[in-house]
Structures are given as structure tokens and as C-alpha cells.
Amino acid sequence: MTNGSTDGITDGITIGQAAAFAGVTVKTIRHYHRYGLIDEPRRDSSGYRRYGSTDLLRLVQVRTLAGAGVPLAEIAAILDADPDRFAAALIDVEQQLTGRIDELIARRDMLQRLAGGDRALLPDRACALLDRMPGLGFTADDVTTVREALVLVRALVPEGFDNYLAQIERGLGDPRYVSLIQRCWRAGDWEPDDPRIDELAAALADHFLTDPSLLPVLTGLQDRDDGAIRYELLTHHGEDQKPAWARLTVLIEAHLCSAGIDITYQTPAD
Amino acid sequence: MTNGSTDGITDGITIGQAAAFAGVTVKTIRHYHRYGLIDEPRRDSSGYRRYGSTDLLRLVQVRTLAGAGVPLAEIAAILDADPDRFAAALIDVEQQLTGRIDELIARRDMLQRLAGGDRALLPDRACALLDRMPGLGFTADDVTTVREALVLVRALVPEGFDNYLAQIERGLGDPRYVSLIQRCWRAGDWEPDDPRIDELAAALADHFLTDPSLLPVLTGLQDRDDGAIRYELLTHHGEDQKPAWARLTVLIEAHLCSAGIDITYQTPAD
DNA sequence: CTGGGCCCTGCCCCAAGGTCAGGGTCAACC
DNA sequence: GGTTGACCCTGACCTTGGGGCAGGGCCCAG
């Protein structure tokens, strides 16, 4: 009785059925209606939407393009275009997809590099350097601080990074320099007015004067019009936690300056 | 005069400078503040944010993870976690990335298939079939209608699709059947009460009775509890544009039925 | 007549910011 | 000393592709 022949069925399917057939949600279909991707079908006496096979076909077409990542805003134009533009549009979309794929692969590579410990954000050469440090007597804290410094240098003066790295590598080959640097790390925990700081600054400045190539100079900083800002940020990194370092820096600068070497950065205008 | 020594500079950089150094926009930094990814730095007398090297370091770390596609909501937890969980989280994120890459590649492949004309949405075997049709005397409109029908069948009864396709392939090998089908296409433009329709229906039913294997039966439809709905949708596709087809369908069904073959679909409850 | 399963519309929500509005600060230039 | 342009502040609304919920209607079965 309820289905005399085909009445009520060939009249069209409801939105829920159409959604199930096309593999989308009811909400998605209504969304497509609002965007004009699918014409609103006729309504039955209850105001329900009734979809026919043609509507369903259109829905499947839209769904396929949307599922392929085509922005909804472009789908109507693509489906309603003549075959030539249809093909051209698809090629365009495909190229965008390729770009996004490449980008994601680059991200994944970056993450794989990140995953090898906290040694994030640095190229392999820098990681190798950090790996050598514990064997030379540096503590884990030391390594962390150096890593932070390297990250900062790379972010602030990328063009000088390789050079800076090379200088550190050479420095690690000089055992006396290494031991001085390690004393500097210890000095971080000293009181700012500890007399050993003066002593250490003198020794370090002396060593720099003996072998000026060890001076960590940031090449490329001078070419920046905001070089001074970057320099200040770098040299004073860590000083908020370790006030003794601030004094150490000042003393070393003073020693070198009185010996005729000015490593502080001057703005070009000065 | 304006920069006595380091005052006003070591005080920190502004948000715009920090953004430039980290390669993000000012808005992005403020966004990160609101999400608690970066602590708010101190403010100067004008209420401007002033960033120090530690803030900048954190910004670069956050930026690197965000740039790698890690959701902002997870970045704080990852950066503040111990190294073990840090590594685990990165592996997790990396796997998600791999999944998205594979998905995008699948989309691109789909698009490449789509780009070979409007022959969208169908597997290669179906496309090959459509390609053969013009050589057998079918018009472009015919091919379009068949393509639409195939898309619908595939969407509505995917498990019966291959079988359906095979039946059509066999049908194309029978020249007499092909010519009958082509008359059916022409019949779409006849008046619904054209007497040739009766004649055509009789001839077609006769041919089906001679070789019942040509009857396009949709296997799998009976296993669906909504099979009737799907059947109605499929058999009546195109009838809104071509009313003559509706009559043709009815007549053929009647002929076959009176010969003892009932191809209409009955609901199990009936 | 009442419950459950559909359907309707309209509103707010997500990520990761972009954009605009309206207003304050700073340094320099005329 | 006024103005200009670059920078900063907050807050509110926009985006994509829908998800979720509220409040109400329709219909079928017990």
C-alpha cells in the first residue's frame, strides 16, 4: 500500500539519502547549495529537498573535484566551462597541488632533522660541532647555551653564520683557548664583583691578542643598517640569567680596546 | 647623542624588528602571544613590547615548529616537554605529515586522470569503453549520456559496477544490439506517443529474450536494503529531459514481464 | 499520543592568521 | 612648532570547509 508503484520514490531522494550515496554529510550538501555549486532541487509538500538523478550526478562531480582539493569557489567555473578551459583549470589546480606537496615534504624533512634530539634549527655542521663539545669537557648546559647562541646568530646574521661556525671549530682545536672558554662558562655562576672575573678577562684578552684569528667576528653584520641592534642582542644574550657575564664582556672589550682592537659595533652614522 | 651607549637598544627590540628577524609578521607574533606560545615581554614607557634575545630565541623555536606544520595548540607542550616526549611528539607530527602528503599525491593522481578530458570520475576500463563508442556510430551526446549513467552506477552500486561494465562491453560486440540501442538514443527526441516507440520496445525485448545475457542486470542491488531507491534513480535517469524514454522503459519492462522475466526491483519486504 | 528519526533554518565554532578601524608614539623635516 | 610618515596599540570581523547545536516541523510506528 505504501508504495503503490513508483510514486514518492521517483519523486526524488531526500538530502540524507543523497548524502549517503555521494559519501558526504547532509551539511556538506547544504553548504554546496549556499555556494551555488549545486542548484537547489525542488521541494516536496513538506518543504524537504528532493533530489533526482541529475542532481546526484552533479553532486558526485562536485564532490570529486572538491575531494581532489579544488577550492569550492573554483569548482562551479570549472564544471560549467567548456572542455578547453576545463582541462586548463585542472592543470592549474594540479600544479598548485604539486607545490603544496613539495612544501609538505620540505616540512617533513625539517622535522626529521629536528627529531634527532633537541638539536633543532641548525644545519648538520653545527650539530656535529655541538656533538663534539661534551667530549672536550663541556657540560650539557654549556652545549645548550652554545646551541641557543648559534640559533640566534643564524636567525640574525645568516650570511655570517658559516664563518662564525668555522671560527668556533678552529677554537675547539686550541686546548688552551678551550680551557679559558670553559672557565667563562663557570664564571656565569660567580658573583658579578668576583675578582676572578678581572683575571679571566685579562687572560682571555691576552689569548686573543696572541692569536687574533680566534676572535669570533660576525662578518656581514656591518652590511646591515640595523647591525647595531643585532649585535647588541647577540652579545648580551644570556646576561639576564648570568649577570657575571655582562661584566666579563665589558672587561674583555675594554682590554682589547686598549690594545687597539675595537670589537664593539659602531653604527655607520657614528 | 641619541645613542649614548647601549641604552634603549639593549632594552629590547620592537615587535616589528622581532618579526623581521624571525621572518614572520607582526600579527603572527601577537597571535602567538594570545595562544600563550610566547610570554608577553616587558613593555616600555609607551606600552610597546620590548623583546630580548631570549624572547627571540623562543620565537624562532615556535616559528620553526609552526613552519613545519605543527598545530599551534601543540607547540607549547612540545617545546616545554622533556627530550623524550619532544622526540616522540615530533615523530607523531611527522607521521601525520606523511599521511597528508600521501593524500595530496592521491588527489593529484586523480586530477591527472580527470585532466584527460571530461572523462572524469571513471576507471580506465570505463574510459576505454567510452572511447570506442564514437567509432561504433554513437554521437557525442550518446557518449555523454552513457558516461553520466556509468558515473551514477558507480556512485550508487559500486560493487556491481565491474559486472555492469562487462555487460555493456559484450553488448557492443553485437552489431544488431548496437543498432537497436542507437535507435533508442534517437527515440529520446521523439514524441512520447510516437508509435515507433512501441515497435522499438518490442524489437528490443525480443532481442533480450533471444540473448538474455545482454540484459544489463545490476548485481549487488538486491543486497541493499535501499536497493529500490537506487534502482529507480538509475532507470529513470535522463527521463526528465527525454520523456519518450520513460515510455520506452515502461514498455520494455512490460514486454519482458509478460515473457516471464521481471527486471523491476522489488523490495524484500514486498 | 507519544517516541524516534528524519528534515528545516539559523547561529556560532575551529586554525592560523589577514585586514580594517580608530587611536597613540616617535623621529625627522620644514 | 606643526606636520608627515613609520611604527605601535587594541579590538572586531573575514577567510575555508564544513561541524555542532538550538528550536521547530514532518512522518511513521507502537
Side-chain angles (χ1 to χ4, degrees):
Chain A
M1 263 311 182
T2 54
N3 78 0
S5 85
T6 57
D7 304 36
I9 292 185
T10 48
D11 211 28
I13 58 176
T14 68
I15 195 172
Q17 291 167 327
F21 292 170
V24 299
T25 69
V26 168
K27 202 64 194 269
T28 299
I29 295 184
R30 287 203 270 250
H31 198 60
Y32 291 169
H33 283 316
R34 279 211 316 190
Y35 274 69
L37 291 180
I38 312 172
D39 288 340
E40 284 277 357
R42 64 186 176 288
R43 307 284 182 125
D44 64 16
S45 58
S46 307
Y48 292 7
R49 294 178 180 86
R50 289 293 177 169
Y51 296 85
S53 56
T54 307
D55 302 315
L56 205 51
L57 187 66
R58 173 80 175 189
L59 173 58
V60 170
Q61 290 172 340
V62 169
R63 182 60 233 168
T64 301
L65 285 177
V70 181
L72 297 194
E74 298 172 16
I75 289 181
I78 291 178
L79 281 180
D80 298 337
D82 55 275
D84 282 358
R85 277 181 305 185
F86 180 88
L90 284 190
I91 289 175
D92 189 49
V93 168
E94 187 191 319
Q95 282 173 346
Q96 288 177 11
L97 260 188
T98 301
R100 275 177 49 192
I101 289 172
D102 292 346
E103 180 194 335
L104 283 187
I105 288 176
R107 286 181 175 183
R108 188 179 54 181
D109 293 347
M110 166 76 80
L111 272 186
Q112 279 168 344
R113 295 251 327 287
L114 269 159
D118 186 22
R119 61 204 49 201
L121 317 167
L122 291 173
D124 295 336
R125 191 172 152 210
C127 291
L129 191 151
L130 293 170
D131 285 341
R132 279 173 54 205
M133 288 183 60
L136 293 171
F138 292 92
T139 70
D141 272 358
D142 297 347
V143 178
T144 297
T145 309
V146 171
R147 178 167 50 232
E148 287 184 3
L150 287 178
V151 170
L152 269 180
V153 168
R154 198 158 115 100
L156 294 179
V157 197
E159 71 275 24
F161 181 74
D162 280 344
N163 200 291
Y164 188 71
L165 209 58
Q167 283 176 322
I168 297 181
E169 282 169 351
R170 254 219 325 284
L172 289 183
D174 178 344
R176 200 166 126 57
Y177 181 62
V178 166
S179 85
L180 281 171
I181 292 294
Q182 285 173 352
R183 284 206 79 197
C184 287
W185 296 122
R186 295 313 126 248
D189 299 324
W190 299 347
E191 292 301 313
D193 53 357
D194 191 311
R196 287 176 296 174
I197 292 182
D198 305 65
E199 194 186 317
L200 180 55
L204 204 52
D206 203 47
H207 197 79
F208 278 138
L209 290 174
T210 309
D211 182 358
S213 75
L214 288 176
L215 254 176
V217 171
L218 267 178
T219 57
L221 206 50
Q222 290 77 9
D223 303 332
R224 305 265 194 171
D225 53 353
D226 56 359
I229 301 173
R230 293 167 192 260
Y231 175 81
E232 294 293 335
L233 268 174
L234 288 173
T235 54
H236 298 289
H237 176 59
E239 291 182 355
D240 19 353
Q241 276 83 34
K242 313 270 190 179
W245 279 345
R247 217 171 89 75
L248 191 56
T249 308
V250 170
L251 287 173
I252 294 172
E253 280 181 359
H255 273 289
L256 292 176
C257 190
S258 70
I261 301 179
D262 185 6
I263 63 167
T264 66
Y265 179 82
Q266 305 296 327
T267 72
D270 241 347
Chain B
M1 259 315 179
T2 55
N3 77 1
S5 89
T6 58
D7 304 35
I9 292 184
T10 50
D11 210 27
I13 58 177
T14 68
I15 194 170
Q17 290 168 326
F21 291 172
V24 298
T25 69
V26 169
K27 200 61 201 263
T28 299
I29 295 184
R30 288 203 269 249
H31 199 60
Y32 291 169
H33 284 314
R34 278 211 317 191
Y35 274 69
L37 291 180
I38 312 172
D39 289 340
E40 284 277 358
R42 65 185 175 288
R43 307 284 183 124
D44 65 14
S45 57
S46 308
Y48 291 7
R49 294 178 180 85
R50 290 293 178 167
Y51 296 84
S53 57
T54 307
D55 302 313
L56 205 53
L57 188 66
R58 174 80 176 190
L59 173 59
V60 170
Q61 289 171 342
V62 169
R63 183 59 231 166
T64 301
L65 285 177
V70 180
L72 297 194
E74 298 172 16
I75 289 182
I78 291 177
L79 281 179
D80 298 338
D82 54 274
D84 282 359
R85 278 181 304 185
F86 180 88
L90 284 191
I91 289 175
D92 189 48
V93 168
E94 187 191 319
Q95 283 174 344
Q96 288 177 12
L97 259 189
T98 300
R100 276 178 49 194
I101 289 172
D102 292 346
E103 180 195 338
L104 283 187
I105 288 177
R107 285 181 176 182
R108 189 179 52 180
D109 292 348
M110 166 76 78
L111 273 185
Q112 278 167 345
R113 294 250 327 287
L114 270 159
D118 185 22
R119 61 204 46 200
L121 320 164
L122 292 173
D124 295 336
R125 194 174 149 207
C127 291
L129 190 152
L130 293 171
D131 285 341
R132 279 173 52 204
M133 290 183 61
L136 294 171
F138 291 91
T139 69
D141 272 359
D142 297 348
V143 178
T144 297
T145 309
V146 171
R147 177 166 51 231
E148 287 184 3
L150 287 178
V151 169
L152 270 180
V153 169
R154 190 156 181 250
L156 295 179
V157 197
E159 71 275 23
F161 181 74
D162 281 344
N163 200 291
Y164 187 72
L165 211 56
Q167 284 177 320
I168 297 180
E169 282 169 353
R170 255 218 327 283
L172 289 183
D174 178 345
R176 200 167 126 57
Y177 181 61
V178 166
S179 84
L180 280 171
I181 292 294
Q182 284 173 354
R183 283 206 81 196
C184 287
W185 295 123
R186 292 317 124 244
D189 300 324
W190 300 346
E191 291 302 311
D193 54 358
D194 192 312
R196 288 174 296 174
I197 292 182
D198 304 68
E199 191 187 318
L200 179 56
L204 204 53
D206 204 48
H207 197 78
F208 279 139
L209 290 173
T210 311
D211 182 359
S213 74
L214 286 176
L215 255 176
V217 172
L218 265 178
T219 56
L221 205 49
Q222 290 77 10
D223 304 333
R224 304 266 194 171
D225 53 353
D226 57 0
I229 302 172
R230 292 168 193 259
Y231 175 79
E232 294 293 336
L233 267 175
L234 289 174
T235 54
H236 298 288
H237 175 60
E239 293 182 356
D240 20 352
Q241 277 82 36
K242 313 271 190 178
W245 280 344
R247 219 171 89 75
L248 190 57
T249 309
V250 170
L251 288 173
I252 294 172
E253 280 180 0
H255 274 287
L256 292 175
C257 190
S258 70
I261 302 179
D262 184 6
I263 63 166
T264 66
Y265 179 83
Q266 304 297 326
T267 70
D270 245 347

